[in-house]
Amino acid sequence: GEDVEQSLFLSVREGDSSVINCTYTDSSSTYLYWYKQEPGAGLQLLTYIFSNMDMKQDQRLTVLLNKKDKHLSLRIADTQTGDSAIYFCAESMTNAGNNRKLIWGLGTSLAVNP
Amino acid sequence: GAVVSQHPSRVICKSGTSVKIECRSLDFQATTMFWYRQFPKKSLMLMATSNEGSKATYEQGVEKDKFLINHASLTLSTLTVTSAHPEDSSFYICSARGVGTREQYFGPGTRLTVT
């Protein structure tokens, strides 16, 4: 089945690291994504990782992938108040029309306290 | 680059009327566009995938006669909610993917309220 799960809330202090976790069910997923949605705004692609990679780093963002456990995490170093948003994990699949589609988690609401 | 716009950003309509939402890729050609629906405190639900010049592929449980999708050009897709009911009230988001890319770029969303 298609299922992506995330914890709903995370609260951290400014300057600390944030780790947002995600589990997925489809072992055939080739790409996994992290998107950010700020209040009243659209979705912004933060980063993605190919399924044959274990880790990807992009400035303050580190993505870790454990394919065996189907576990994906996003670490934000030196978290700032501007990082407060909802973070969505998504896995890619191919639908009936042979188009790639994204299966989404419910989103983790990150609150950064000064 | 990779900007996607939606129009209108917010619309209120009466039950029984139809509403059209436009999704445009402003600086790239979108061979594939996706329409999503997002409920409060819920994840995005993919409604349909459309490729330019062909019929949309609808996800299971989405009524194609109620949610009409037209992807007439490489920069424009429209979603028409026909005979709208209050339960159609939601946040509708489109995304677009360009030629040879795997990233989806999202529009800002359209808030539909059916009274």
Side-chain angles (χ1 to χ4, degrees):
Chain A
E2 308 169 356
D3 198 14
V4 176
E5 294 188 356
Q6 303 176 238
S7 54
L8 295 182
F9 300 100
L10 177 65
S11 180
V12 299
R13 286 190 308 181
E14 191 174 15
D16 288 350
S17 292
S18 309
V19 179
I20 302 171
N21 294 301
C22 168
T23 57
Y24 60 98
T25 55
D26 190 344
S27 57
S28 66
S29 294
T30 51
Y31 288 91
L32 296 119
Y33 300 82
W34 285 104
Y35 282 84
K36 177 182 179 181
Q37 186 178 35
E38 297 183 51
L43 285 145
Q44 173 195 356
L45 175 65
L46 282 179
T47 186
Y48 64 91
I49 188 168
F50 188 47
S51 60
N52 69 353
M53 297 170 63
D54 298 324
M55 184 182 85
K56 181 177 180 181
Q57 187 152 4
D58 184 2
Q59 299 181 333
R60 292 191 297 124
L61 305 178
T62 303
V63 179
L64 295 178
L65 175 61
N66 182 329
K67 197 173 180 184
K68 175 175 170 290
D69 294 338
K70 300 190 187 69
H71 182 267
L72 182 73
S73 69
L74 174 69
R75 178 177 180 269
I76 305 172
D78 187 23
T79 313
Q80 303 297 308
T81 54
D83 294 324
S84 295
I86 299 176
Y87 291 81
F88 289 93
C89 167
E91 62 170 338
S92 68
M93 293 182 61
T94 302
N95 69 6
N98 203 33
N99 286 302
R100 286 200 173 276
K101 65 176 184 178
L102 295 178
I103 307 300
W104 298 81
L106 289 179
T108 299
S109 182
L110 173 64
V112 181
N113 305 306
Chain B
V3 177
V4 176
S5 70
Q6 276 184 246
H7 178 79
S9 58
R10 189 179 292 266
V11 58
I12 301 172
C13 71
K14 293 185 177 180
S15 289
T17 61
S18 294
V19 174
K20 181 185 283 189
I21 302 170
E22 292 185 350
C23 177
R24 293 181 186 273
S25 57
L26 298 185
D27 52 1
F28 68 101
Q29 293 185 325
T31 49
T32 306
M33 285 187 169
F34 303 83
W35 286 97
Y36 294 86
R37 188 171 172 178
Q38 186 179 29
F39 296 97
K41 300 189 187 304
K42 292 287 186 183
S43 182
L44 281 78
M45 181 194 79
L46 179 65
M47 300 174 66
T49 305
S50 72
N51 290 305
E52 185 264 339
S54 60
K55 289 184 179 180
T57 301
Y58 288 81
E59 294 299 303
Q60 192 172 7
V62 179
E63 300 174 59
K64 61 181 180 182
D65 294 329
K66 180 167 181 62
F67 298 99
L68 301 178
I69 291 171
N70 186 302
H71 191 165
S73 77
L74 285 171
T75 59
L76 173 64
S77 176
T78 60
L79 168 68
T80 302
V81 182
T82 62
S83 188
H85 290 159
E87 55 263 34
D88 297 327
S89 298
S90 193
F91 194 54
Y92 292 86
I93 305 173
C94 76
S95 70
R97 188 172 68 210
V99 177
T101 66
R102 58 184 63 87
E103 292 87 357
Q104 291 184 32
Y105 297 96
F106 285 80
T110 297
R111 173 73 60 193
L112 170 64
T113 304
V114 184
T115 60

Short mmCIF file of all heavy atoms in Angstrom, two decimals, chain B residues 4 26 29 31 41 56 71 81 87 90-91 99 107 111-112:
data_model
loop_
_atom_site.label_atom_id
_atom_site.label_comp_id
_atom_site.label_asym_id
_atom_site.label_seq_id
_atom_site.Cartn_x
_atom_site.Cartn_y
_atom_site.Cartn_z
N VAL B 4 5.34 28.87 -10.66
CA VAL B 4 4.01 28.41 -11.03
C VAL B 4 2.98 29.32 -10.37
O VAL B 4 3.07 29.58 -9.17
CB VAL B 4 3.79 26.95 -10.59
CG1 VAL B 4 2.36 26.50 -10.89
CG2 VAL B 4 4.79 26.03 -11.28
N LEU B 26 5.21 29.82 -15.46
CA LEU B 26 5.54 31.15 -16.00
C LEU B 26 6.84 31.19 -16.78
O LEU B 26 7.00 31.99 -17.68
CB LEU B 26 5.57 32.18 -14.87
CG LEU B 26 4.26 32.37 -14.12
CD1 LEU B 26 4.38 33.49 -13.11
CD2 LEU B 26 3.11 32.64 -15.08
N GLN B 29 8.29 25.20 -19.60
CA GLN B 29 7.23 24.42 -20.23
C GLN B 29 6.95 23.18 -19.39
O GLN B 29 7.85 22.39 -19.12
CB GLN B 29 7.64 24.02 -21.65
CG GLN B 29 7.74 25.22 -22.59
CD GLN B 29 8.02 24.80 -24.02
OE1 GLN B 29 8.73 23.85 -24.26
NE2 GLN B 29 7.46 25.53 -24.96
N THR B 31 5.34 19.82 -19.10
CA THR B 31 4.74 18.70 -19.83
C THR B 31 3.73 17.96 -18.97
O THR B 31 2.80 17.35 -19.48
CB THR B 31 5.83 17.72 -20.29
OG1 THR B 31 6.68 17.42 -19.17
CG2 THR B 31 6.68 18.33 -21.39
N LYS B 41 -5.14 20.67 8.17
CA LYS B 41 -4.36 19.75 8.99
C LYS B 41 -4.24 18.37 8.35
O LYS B 41 -4.05 17.37 9.03
CB LYS B 41 -4.93 19.64 10.40
CG LYS B 41 -4.97 20.97 11.15
CD LYS B 41 -5.35 20.77 12.59
CE LYS B 41 -5.56 22.09 13.31
NZ LYS B 41 -4.39 22.98 13.23
N ALA B 56 -6.46 13.57 -18.76
CA ALA B 56 -5.87 13.47 -17.43
C ALA B 56 -6.08 12.07 -16.86
O ALA B 56 -7.04 11.38 -17.19
CB ALA B 56 -6.50 14.51 -16.50
N HIS B 71 -5.48 20.39 -20.07
CA HIS B 71 -4.07 20.78 -20.14
C HIS B 71 -3.79 21.08 -21.61
O HIS B 71 -3.18 20.29 -22.32
CB HIS B 71 -3.20 19.64 -19.63
CG HIS B 71 -1.76 20.00 -19.41
ND1 HIS B 71 -0.91 19.21 -18.67
CD2 HIS B 71 -1.02 21.04 -19.82
CE1 HIS B 71 0.29 19.77 -18.65
NE2 HIS B 71 0.24 20.88 -19.34
N VAL B 81 -14.32 22.85 -11.25
CA VAL B 81 -15.17 22.14 -10.30
C VAL B 81 -16.62 22.40 -10.73
O VAL B 81 -17.10 23.53 -10.66
CB VAL B 81 -14.95 22.63 -8.86
CG1 VAL B 81 -15.80 21.84 -7.88
CG2 VAL B 81 -13.47 22.53 -8.48
N GLU B 87 -19.12 20.57 0.31
CA GLU B 87 -18.03 19.64 0.63
C GLU B 87 -16.86 19.72 -0.33
O GLU B 87 -15.81 19.12 -0.11
CB GLU B 87 -18.55 18.20 0.71
CG GLU B 87 -19.27 17.71 -0.52
CD GLU B 87 -20.77 17.83 -0.39
OE1 GLU B 87 -21.25 18.79 0.26
OE2 GLU B 87 -21.48 16.99 -0.97
N SER B 90 -12.25 23.61 -0.21
CA SER B 90 -10.94 23.07 0.10
C SER B 90 -9.87 24.00 -0.45
O SER B 90 -10.17 25.03 -1.05
CB SER B 90 -10.80 21.67 -0.53
OG SER B 90 -9.68 20.99 -0.02
N PHE B 91 -8.64 23.59 -0.25
CA PHE B 91 -7.48 24.30 -0.80
C PHE B 91 -6.97 23.46 -1.95
O PHE B 91 -6.59 22.30 -1.76
CB PHE B 91 -6.43 24.46 0.31
CG PHE B 91 -5.33 25.44 0.00
CD1 PHE B 91 -5.63 26.74 -0.38
CD2 PHE B 91 -4.01 25.07 0.11
CE1 PHE B 91 -4.61 27.64 -0.65
CE2 PHE B 91 -2.99 25.97 -0.16
CZ PHE B 91 -3.29 27.26 -0.54
N VAL B 99 10.14 19.43 -18.81
CA VAL B 99 10.69 18.37 -19.66
C VAL B 99 11.97 17.82 -19.04
O VAL B 99 12.86 18.59 -18.69
CB VAL B 99 10.98 18.90 -21.07
CG1 VAL B 99 11.61 17.81 -21.93
CG2 VAL B 99 9.72 19.42 -21.72
N GLY B 107 2.23 25.70 -7.27
CA GLY B 107 1.58 26.99 -7.23
C GLY B 107 1.22 27.34 -5.81
O GLY B 107 1.32 26.51 -4.91
N ARG B 111 -7.95 28.86 -2.61
CA ARG B 111 -8.91 28.53 -1.54
C ARG B 111 -10.32 28.64 -2.11
O ARG B 111 -10.76 29.73 -2.48
CB ARG B 111 -8.74 29.50 -0.37
CG ARG B 111 -9.79 29.37 0.73
CD ARG B 111 -9.59 28.15 1.56
NE ARG B 111 -8.29 28.14 2.22
CZ ARG B 111 -7.78 27.07 2.81
NH1 ARG B 111 -8.45 25.93 2.81
NH2 ARG B 111 -6.61 27.13 3.39
N LEU B 112 -11.02 27.52 -2.21
CA LEU B 112 -12.40 27.50 -2.71
C LEU B 112 -13.36 27.33 -1.55
O LEU B 112 -13.21 26.40 -0.75
CB LEU B 112 -12.59 26.36 -3.71
CG LEU B 112 -14.04 26.07 -4.13
CD1 LEU B 112 -14.63 27.27 -4.88
CD2 LEU B 112 -14.11 24.82 -5.00
#
